[in-house]
Amino acid sequence: MPMPAPVVIPRPPATGPDDLLLPAKGRDRIWELSPNLHCSVVGTCLSTGDLRQLFAKLNDADARTASDHVLHGRAVRAAGQKEIAGKLLNKLLDKRHETAIKRFAKARNAAEVRALWLEALERGDIPGAYWAVLSHPATDGPLVQEVYGEVHMLSHLVGMSNRADIARLRHLEQELGIREETLARQDERLLQIGLERDALARRVAELEQAARRQAVAPAPTAPAEDEALRRRLADEQARSALLAERLAAQDEAIARLTERTEQAEDRAAALQDEIAALEAALDEPAEASGPAPELRGRTLLYVGGRPRQIEQLRALTARFGGVLLSHDGGVEDNPTMLPGLVSQADVAFFPVDCVSHHAAGQVKRLCREAEKPFVPLRTSSLASFAAAVGTMGRAAAAE
C-alpha cells in the first residue's frame, strides 16, 4: 500500500548537554508514536503471518481469510489506540525484535542510536532496527525523519523489483494457458486424422482383396468394373499417402509445441521459486546480530547487472549473512579489477541477460583458474539472485 505523506514528528530534537544522557522515560509504545509512522512500522516490522496470529488471538472471525491489505489496515488502526489490540501489537513488536532492542539499549544518545542504525542498514537488518530506533527514548525528531525516509525509499525499490517479477510470471502463465489450448486442439485433430487413416487403411485392404479376387477369377462380362476398381484403389492409396504426410506434419508440430510448453513451464517454475525466495528473504526478520546461517559470512562477487539494483543486492546479501562485491562488467569499472575481485570472493554471480560476453567469459576463466564456483543467473532481477543465494545457503547447510 502507498506510504504516507511526509512524517510529522511529535518529539522535538534534544539540544544542549542533556542530549549526552539517556532520558528518564522508557521506550515509546506504538500508540505514543506519530500516527504517520504506524503504517510503515506495521508494514516493515511485522509479517502477514504475525498479523493473522495477532487477530486470531483477538478472536476476529476472518483472521485466517481476510486479505493482507485488510489485516494491514486493521493493525494500523489498532496501533493508534491504547486498547487491548494496540497493547498486544506493541508486545508482538517487542517480542519479534527483542535482539535488536537489546542491542540499541546500549545507546545513550541520538548519535549512538544513529550509528547503530547505520550498521543495521548496511547489514540489511531493517525490521528490528527500525522498531528499536523509533521506540528508543534517546531518538530525536531529525533521526526519526532520517530513518523513516530510508525505509520509505527501500520499500519503493523492493516493491518495484517484485512487481516486475510477478508481471513476468503472469505473462508466462497466460502464454502457457494459450499453448495448452493449442495442444488440446492439436490432439483432437490428431485423433480425427488417425481415425480417418484407419478407416482408409481398412478400405484399401478391402479394395486390394477385391482386386485379388478379380485377378483370380476375372468376370468376362465386367471389364469396366475392373477398371473402376483399379481407379478407386489408386485414388484411395493416394489419399492415404496424403493423410500419412499430414499426420507426420502434425506429429512434428505437436513435438515442437510440447517442447515450447515444457520450456514455458520450466520458466514459470523458476520464476515462482525466485519470487518465493525473494518474499521469504524480505518477510523473515533477522533474529540475531551475527551473520545469518545461509552464507555464514561468505563474500560474493556480482558482475554486470543494472547499476540501480546493486544496493538492493548488497542489502539482500547482508540479510543472508554475506558481503557483496560488484563490478559492472567493464562499462565504467576497469576490467583489470576483475582478477583481484575474484580472488577476494568465495563465489561469483553474473546475470546472463545483462552482462557482456567478454565479461562473462573472463569471470568463468578466472574462477576456473582460482578453482572457485561461478553461478550464471537467469535474469538480473532481485528474485533470481535471491533464489540462487538461497539455494547456495541450503547446500552449505547440508554439508
Side-chain angles (χ1 to χ4, degrees), residues 180-215:
E180 287 176 346
E181 292 177 1
T182 303
L183 277 176
R185 291 195 297 270
Q186 293 286 358
D187 288 341
E188 184 178 354
R189 180 60 182 156
L190 182 61
L191 178 61
Q192 182 181 354
I193 291 175
L195 294 174
E196 292 179 3
R197 184 181 65 177
D198 293 341
L200 281 173
R202 289 192 297 270
R203 181 60 180 160
V204 168
E206 292 172 359
L207 290 173
E208 289 176 343
Q209 186 176 5
R212 284 194 296 270
R213 286 197 300 268
Q214 288 290 340

Side-chain angles (χ1 to χ4, degrees), residues 105-394:
K106 301 174 184 178
R108 311 306 298 173
N109 52 51
E112 293 180 3
V113 174
R114 183 175 183 273
L116 289 172
W117 163 253
L118 293 177
E119 292 177 6
L121 186 64
E122 181 67 22
R123 294 194 308 271
D125 181 12
I126 306 300
Y130 189 46
W131 174 239
V133 170
L134 293 182
S135 60
H136 198 283
T139 299
D140 57 15
L143 180 55
V144 173
Q145 191 77 46
E146 177 185 351
V147 170
Y148 171 84
E150 289 169 341
V151 171
H152 179 88
M153 294 310 300
L154 183 61
S155 69
H156 284 316
L157 293 173
V158 172
M160 182 169 53
S161 175
N162 224 357
R163 284 195 298 272
D165 288 328
I166 292 172
R168 284 196 298 271
L169 177 60
R170 288 176 177 169
H171 175 73
L172 279 174
E173 289 174 342
Q174 292 173 356
E175 183 180 347
L176 185 60
I178 293 172
R179 290 180 180 176
E180 287 176 346
E181 292 177 1
T182 303
L183 277 176
R185 291 195 297 270
Q186 293 286 358
D187 288 341
E188 184 178 354
R189 180 60 182 156
L190 182 61
L191 178 61
Q192 182 181 354
I193 291 175
L195 294 174
E196 292 179 3
R197 184 181 65 177
D198 293 341
L200 281 173
R202 289 192 297 270
R203 181 60 180 160
V204 168
E206 292 172 359
L207 290 173
E208 289 176 343
Q209 186 176 5
R212 284 194 296 270
R213 286 197 300 268
Q214 288 290 340
V216 173
T221 59
E225 292 181 4
D226 290 346
E227 183 61 28
L229 283 173
R230 283 193 291 271
R231 285 197 301 269
R232 288 176 62 188
L233 177 60
D235 291 343
E236 296 293 347
Q237 288 174 333
R239 186 179 176 190
S240 178
L242 178 61
L243 280 173
E245 292 179 2
R246 291 174 59 190
L247 183 60
Q250 290 286 348
D251 288 341
E252 184 179 351
I254 287 175
R256 288 196 302 268
L257 280 172
T258 300
E259 182 180 0
R260 291 170 62 188
T261 300
E262 290 174 351
Q263 293 173 353
E265 289 174 345
D266 291 342
R267 290 175 60 195
L271 268 176
Q272 288 172 336
D273 291 343
E274 291 170 5
I275 291 174
L278 179 58
E279 290 175 344
L282 295 177
D283 287 344
E284 294 177 4
E287 303 233 347
S289 58
E294 288 86 350
L295 294 181
R296 302 177 181 175
R298 292 184 180 180
T299 299
L300 313 184
L301 171 61
Y302 190 88
V303 180
R306 295 177 173 83
R308 65 176 180 272
Q309 288 185 329
I310 297 301
E311 289 306 316
Q312 300 176 54
L313 297 174
R314 183 169 286 114
L316 186 60
T317 303
R319 190 177 187 84
F320 276 107
V323 177
L324 183 70
L325 307 176
S326 65
H327 191 283
D328 63 10
V331 179
E332 295 183 1
D333 295 338
N334 193 327
T336 59
M337 297 170 58
L338 269 177
L341 292 172
V342 170
S343 68
Q344 298 176 53
D346 295 303
V347 59
F349 297 82
F350 56 88
V352 296
D353 68 335
C354 195
V355 69
S356 68
H357 291 295
H358 176 72
Q362 190 176 7
V363 171
K364 293 178 182 179
R365 178 179 58 80
L366 290 170
C367 285
R368 290 190 183 106
E369 291 175 355
E371 298 183 349
K372 294 184 178 182
F374 59 86
V375 181
L377 300 176
R378 187 179 60 82
T379 69
S380 59
S381 68
L382 192 62
S384 287
F385 180 76
V389 173
T391 300
M392 186 177 74
R394 288 191 294 273

Side-chain angles (χ1 to χ4, degrees), residues 10-77:
R11 292 180 293 179
T15 57
D18 290 340
D19 186 46
L20 300 177
L21 299 175
L22 191 66
K25 73 182 187 67
R27 295 174 49 251
D28 281 339
R29 273 71 64 90
I30 184 70
W31 58 84
E32 294 174 337
L33 300 180
S34 168
N36 291 329
L37 294 170
H38 292 162
C39 179
S40 67
V41 170
V42 172
T44 303
C45 304
L46 294 174
S47 67
T48 304
D50 292 332
L51 298 182
R52 291 193 186 280
Q53 292 178 7
L54 171 66
F55 288 108
K57 185 179 295 186
L58 290 169
N59 297 320
D60 280 17
D62 61 344
R64 302 297 180 188
T65 58
S67 68
D68 295 350
H69 182 265
V70 169
L71 290 177
H72 177 85
R74 290 181 189 172
V76 171
R77 288 192 296 273

